[in-house]
């Protein structure tokens, strides 16, 4: 069974005098660097079979939280425990090398998602078929549209059979047919006791994927409960 437990989670970033983000290491080296908390004192639990939509304005901490869950970012405070095999599509560009073909990228992404080299190599034809890219699978990704990149990324993740699926603002890049495939896979993950966590501004899409919503503002949980009509959501992160 999958589970997510966050306790007093905190993530901070450094900013230079032009308000550009810098890494913590660079922040220590640069003088007059200031720090800000992207997530502060966040406590949250998600159990098996749940599908959670993260809502909130830009800068609320949605993407940062997903990156922590994916293991991309470490916690600067508190703890983050994720049980289960994680598959994440956090950006259309994430992990994709434009100069490589779809096949070459699928192999690299498969290894990055935990497959052995042999497993990643064996799964390539299945990824090609699932992505629907056909001959485009052998072309450089630099020639891909955003939708094609999203198809490739999701096909790789699906082949890895994640127990925890993380999605960040990818809905608009997908056509209707592939959205339906993604929704069906997300439902299957939940039925098998897995977890889906999705963030985005397309509230209607989140309502189709999720049955619970967590509203964030300034890196804090403002509200948590059953997903209501998307029209009831306000940018301030409070249901009306």
């Amino acid at each position: 069974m999958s589970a997510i437990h966050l306790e007093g989670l905190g993530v901070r970033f450094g900013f230079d005098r032009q308000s550009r983000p810098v890494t913590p290491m660079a922040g220590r080296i640069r003088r007059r660097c200031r720090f800000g908390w992207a997530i502060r004192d966040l406590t949250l639990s998600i159990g098996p079979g749940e599908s959670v939509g993260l809502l909130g304005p830009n800068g609320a901490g949605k993407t940062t939280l997903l990156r922590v869950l994916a293991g991309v970012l470490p916690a600067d405070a508190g703890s983050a425990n994720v049980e289960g095999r994680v598959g994440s599509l956090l950006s259309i560009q994430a992990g994709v090398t434009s100069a490589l073909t779809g096949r070459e990228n699928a192999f690299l992404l498969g290894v990055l998602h935990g497959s052995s080299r042999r497993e990643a190599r064996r799964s390539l034809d299945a990824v090609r078929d699932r992505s629907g890219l056909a001959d485009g699978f052998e072309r450089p990704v630099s020639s891909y549209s955003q939708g094609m990149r999203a198809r490739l990324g999701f096909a790789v993740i699906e082949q890895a059979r994640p127990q925890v699926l993380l999605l960040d603002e990818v809905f608009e890049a997908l056509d209707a047919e592939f959205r339906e495939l993604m929704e069906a896979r997300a439902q299957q993950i939940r039925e098998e006791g897995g977890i889906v966590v999705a963030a985005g501004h397309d509230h209607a899409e989140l309502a189709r994927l999720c049955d619970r919503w967590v509203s964030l503002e300034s890196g804090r949980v403002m509200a948590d409960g059953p997903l209501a009509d998307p029209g009831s959501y306000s940018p301030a992160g409070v249901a009306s």
Side-chain angles (χ1 to χ4, degrees), residues 24-238:
M25 182 64 71
R28 294 189 186 98
I29 296 173
R30 295 188 186 194
R31 294 182 178 180
R32 299 182 184 177
C33 181
R34 59 188 178 85
F35 286 94
W37 291 92
I39 293 178
R40 188 71 179 270
D41 195 26
L42 190 152
T43 296
L44 181 67
S45 292
I46 304 174
E50 287 197 282
S51 184
V52 177
L54 301 179
L55 303 177
N58 290 332
K62 303 185 298 297
T63 296
T64 300
L65 177 56
L66 288 174
R67 288 177 176 173
V68 171
L69 297 179
V72 176
L73 283 178
D76 293 304
S79 62
N81 297 313
V82 180
E83 300 174 12
R85 187 168 54 252
V86 177
S88 59
L89 189 55
L90 303 186
S91 167
I92 302 303
Q93 311 294 337
V96 175
T97 302
S98 295
L100 300 182
T101 66
R103 178 178 292 274
E104 291 166 336
N105 272 287
F107 173 77
L108 291 176
L109 289 171
V111 173
L112 287 173
H113 280 90
S115 299
S116 67
R117 287 175 173 267
R118 179 176 295 181
E119 291 170 337
R121 193 172 292 110
R122 287 178 175 175
S123 70
L124 290 176
D125 287 344
V127 171
R128 178 199 59 204
D129 295 343
R130 190 61 171 168
S131 68
L133 293 174
D135 293 341
F137 195 61
E138 310 300 337
R139 297 205 313 264
V141 170
S142 58
S143 67
Y144 283 19
S145 65
Q146 281 199 332
M148 293 172 70
R149 290 178 184 238
R151 279 174 170 261
L152 176 65
F154 189 75
V156 171
I157 292 171
E158 186 178 28
Q159 191 63 29
R161 299 193 63 81
Q163 297 163 309
V164 178
L165 178 62
L166 309 176
L167 302 170
D168 187 18
E169 299 186 16
V170 299
F171 313 115
E172 294 181 1
L174 295 172
D175 56 36
E177 177 186 1
F178 214 71
R179 284 191 186 195
E180 291 180 2
L181 291 174
M182 183 177 68
E183 291 169 7
R185 183 68 183 107
Q187 180 62 30
Q188 182 181 3
I189 289 172
R190 295 175 58 193
E191 291 174 353
E192 294 173 351
I195 290 172
V196 177
V197 183
H201 296 288
D202 187 338
H203 303 145
E205 186 67 40
L206 287 178
R208 286 192 291 270
L209 279 175
C210 307
D211 55 13
R212 173 183 169 191
W213 63 278
V214 172
S215 178
L216 299 178
E217 186 174 358
S218 301
R220 300 176 185 270
V221 174
M222 303 301 293
D224 182 355
L227 189 67
D229 183 339
S232 69
Y233 169 75
S234 69
V238 180

